[in-house]
Amino acid sequence: MGFWHSFRHGVHPPDLKALTAAIPIRRLPYPDEIVLPLRQHAGNPATPIVRVGDRVERGDTLARAEGHISAPVHASAAGRVTAIELWPHPDGTHAPAIRIAVERYSPQATRPRVIPEWEGLSHEELIAAVKDAGVVGLGGAAFPAHVKLAPPPEFPIDTLVVNGCECEPYLTTDHRTMVEYPERVQLGIRIMLKCLGAKRAVVGIERNKPDAVDAIRNTLPDDLDVSVLDLTVKYPQGAEKMLIKAVLGRDVPSGRLPMHVGVVVQNVASLATIAEVFETGLPLIERIVTVTGLGIARPANLLVPVGTKLRDLIEACGGMTADAREIVFGGPMMGMAQADLDVPITKGTTGVVVLSRAETRDQPSLPCIKCGHCLDACPVFLNPQHLGALALADRYAEMEQAHLMDCMLCGCCSYVCPSHIPLSQLFAASKARVRKLKVLAA
Amino acid sequence: MWTVVATLVPILATSVMFFGPSALLVTGAATAGALITEKVFGPRRSLLDGSGMITGLLLGLTLPAGLPMWMAFVGGAFSIGFGKLVFGGLGQNVFNPALLGRAFLQAAFPVAMTTWPTAQASWWQLRGDNLALPLFSARAPDVLTGATPLGLLKFEGETTALRDLMLGTTGGSLGETAGIVILICGLYLALRNYLNWRIPASIFLSVFLFVGVLHLLFPTQYPEPAFMLFSGGLMLGAWYMATDLVTSPVTNLGCWIFGIGIGALVVVIRLWGGLAEGVMYAILLMNALVPFINRATQPRVFGTARRTAS
């Protein structure tokens, strides 16, 4: 039991998952147009290999990975490439994307493909297969999965930590994946353990998802050391470093990665996708998205072709209610507010939260009163109060010394601030600024 | 902030019960001084945050009942003007504004600030020359006055029964006599996380232990620790003044250090200093150290070494 397993600090927002927690995943009909940004993952954007006017089948590669930390992009529906141009991106910018006019009445069949028998594949072949399928972490950060499968040999991995926390309020993507596809998650664990050469896997699931805990427990393999730990509900437990602390009690050093303490963390939905690659031979072209919030008429868990526009998603859920106010990609704590209904769902979109008037509040920020609540909330033990004051004064060098780069933008400080100071947002802007200054200096 | 104001209402009501209309006049004048200064010199809409209200009320509660209203008004204006606004407004001040105002009044009007009326025959009677004209000092009070429990201890060597201290039937400033009411209101704020419980806890602990040891060694010379806890402004100071968010440390460890420092200074001033009461100066002195305490108690960032190698 994971009763005593947790991390220090953090916050307890209401989880608000009841809107969609019990709704089975359903498939979204193919929209008329699909827009696939070339940058849907951490690392280098993909390079297009199709041209305008080309006809593509569902599952065809449209853009290839550029370098090691990158991922290819595949067609999520059959159709014709109509443009490769700048298009609104969920991160708030305009970014290059491939637009595809989806063929009407198409069976959306894929080209005949050989499904590789994963057990017969070598380590390198497995990793290449995952890379070619464009699999990335589906928990939000969209880190290419094949990179995690191949840690450098000087860092032996002893444990795979499987992330089933889904600590963001509202979202039920991972929850439904665990309840409906526990065997896929288990197969994903099996493949990943083989790749890593790790001995054991621990699945961390927060206790507000008892049906998911049961589903995973009931499908545990006999021949592998896989265990389930039900964790107390606390935000941000799904953050890599916090989860490692909660499950294994290990501290990942500042500025290092989980592999430096012998751990790899992978999200349950990503594991299910890895398994799917070896079950169907299809690349990552669709994902589960929770569409929720009081601002949407019919909340749902949808299986969505990657590249579907937000507009189509909302329409499929009965449209927005009259008092809908804000749309957030991801959860309300770390998600990105959207300004355009044409933004596409990308590989990293975990959910769409349509907030109503009742769920949002205009809060003008007041002066900092140095109450110290943010220090008690910060899971990485920063001093957000001090950092916030430095950010407002543009003192970036001092912010870096005060460990700004350790901030993971979880939003706990903004959440507890009684003066409603947008601390986390300030830090996001400051981190971008520090990186830019570094590039300019180099 | 308005919650804190709300918890001051029962304390004010208790003081009205003991000191009659004078309590309302003095607190009202101090609050008016604070609010008017905030309105005139403060940033726009800053009255709405409630901090000026708290400062005014708290200052009023630390004043003696017989103080002329104009003095209380000046004190309130000084608190906000020189205690807060000159530093840059809410969140920027180093010292607790209410206590700074009180320190100013203590220096400017030492006699009026140390005349302590006791219970009168009629509840309606004013407890001093509250209505003295501005710039005039108070006429000699035609009311009964008496020493505070701490004054009695210091200058007469008498102690007061703990029951009287808890209920507030003693001489003293308006809001500091009823220890039990302050305790309840403060506990409520601590439970709601409006104040850091570590500060009052560490103040009480350090005063209790310090005086307790002295009392055990020299029972005749030093008072009982419980007397020290409930006498004078310690209750009000520990729950409402020391815990001022702006002027207390931001780290929990810092709050312990801060509270222990205040407790030690209170005991030192009360027992060996020239003054009968030392809570105000103890808190102001520790306020000055807060930036250093904050710097020395920064949390260890997750995943960094326990001690830096250098």
Side-chain angles (χ1 to χ4, degrees), chain A residues 7 9 241-242 245 250-255 366-373 375-376 379-383 385-386 402-403 406, chain B residues 1 49 89-93 193-196 198 244-252 294 297-304 306:
Chain A
F7 61 100
H9 291 186
K241 293 185 175 184
M242 299 306 119
K245 179 79 182 170
R250 296 182 198 168
D251 286 16
V252 179
S254 157
L366 298 167
C368 170
I369 51 170
K370 306 191 170 67
C371 63
H373 288 184
L375 281 96
D376 284 344
V380 268
F381 291 75
L382 301 173
N383 183 344
Q385 174 257 329
H386 182 58
H403 290 274
D406 282 285
Chain B
M1 294 256 200
D49 65 29
L90 180 62
Q92 304 296 325
N93 47 308
N193 205 15
Y194 280 94
L195 56 82
N196 194 332
R198 292 165 188 87
D244 172 22
L245 300 167
V246 177
T247 56
S248 59
V250 290
T251 59
N252 289 333
N294 275 341
T297 57
Q298 285 300 304
R300 182 173 60 88
V301 174
F302 187 88
T304 55
R306 209 160 284 275

Side-chain angles (χ1 to χ4, degrees), chain B residues 24 44 68 75 82 149 155 184 190 212 220 241 260 283 292:
Chain B
L24 281 180
R44 280 184 66 206
F82 288 86
F155 306 115
I184 291 166
T220 52
M241 306 287 193
I260 290 169
I283 295 175
F292 301 101

Side-chain angles (χ1 to χ4, degrees), chain A residues 396 404-409 426-436:
Chain A
Y396 299 112
L404 170 68
M405 290 330 225
D406 282 285
C407 173
M408 54 180 177
L409 306 176
L426 282 173
F427 302 155
S430 304
K431 283 178 83 165
R433 192 68 199 275
V434 166
R435 284 202 197 96
K436 200 170 173 187

Side-chain angles (χ1 to χ4, degrees), chain A residues 253-264:
Chain A
S254 157
R256 317 298 307 271
L257 294 170
M259 66 179 184
H260 294 115
V261 292
V263 181
V264 163

Side-chain angles (χ1 to χ4, degrees), chain A residues 81-96:
Chain A
V81 177
T82 55
I84 301 175
E85 61 183 11
L86 291 179
W87 191 263
H89 190 274
D91 70 6
T93 61
H94 281 62

Side-chain angles (χ1 to χ4, degrees), chain B residues 101-149:
Chain B
R102 190 182 194 280
F104 167 76
L105 289 177
Q106 178 99 55
F109 315 111
V111 178
M113 285 294 287
T114 48
T115 307
W116 310 103
T118 54
Q120 306 297 319
S122 157
W123 184 82
W124 288 103
Q125 193 191 349
L126 292 184
R127 290 348 189 234
D129 195 4
N130 289 130
L131 303 174
L133 289 173
L135 304 183
F136 284 79
S137 52
R139 274 169 285 132
D142 50 359
V143 293
L144 298 170
T145 58
T148 62

Side-chain angles (χ1 to χ4, degrees), chain B residues 44-114:
Chain B
R44 280 184 66 206
R45 298 169 68 81
S46 66
L47 277 185
L48 295 179
D49 65 29
S51 62
M53 189 81 181
I54 296 176
T55 300
L57 282 175
L58 278 179
L59 172 67
L61 290 174
T62 61
L63 300 175
L67 194 76
M69 282 171 70
W70 72 267
M71 294 183 186
F73 184 91
V74 170
F78 187 92
S79 288
I80 293 297
F82 288 86
K84 188 168 89 176
L85 294 180
V86 287
F87 289 97
L90 180 62
Q92 304 296 325
N93 47 308
V94 177
F95 298 103
N96 183 312
L99 285 182
L100 211 63
R102 190 182 194 280
F104 167 76
L105 289 177
Q106 178 99 55
F109 315 111
V111 178
M113 285 294 287
T114 48

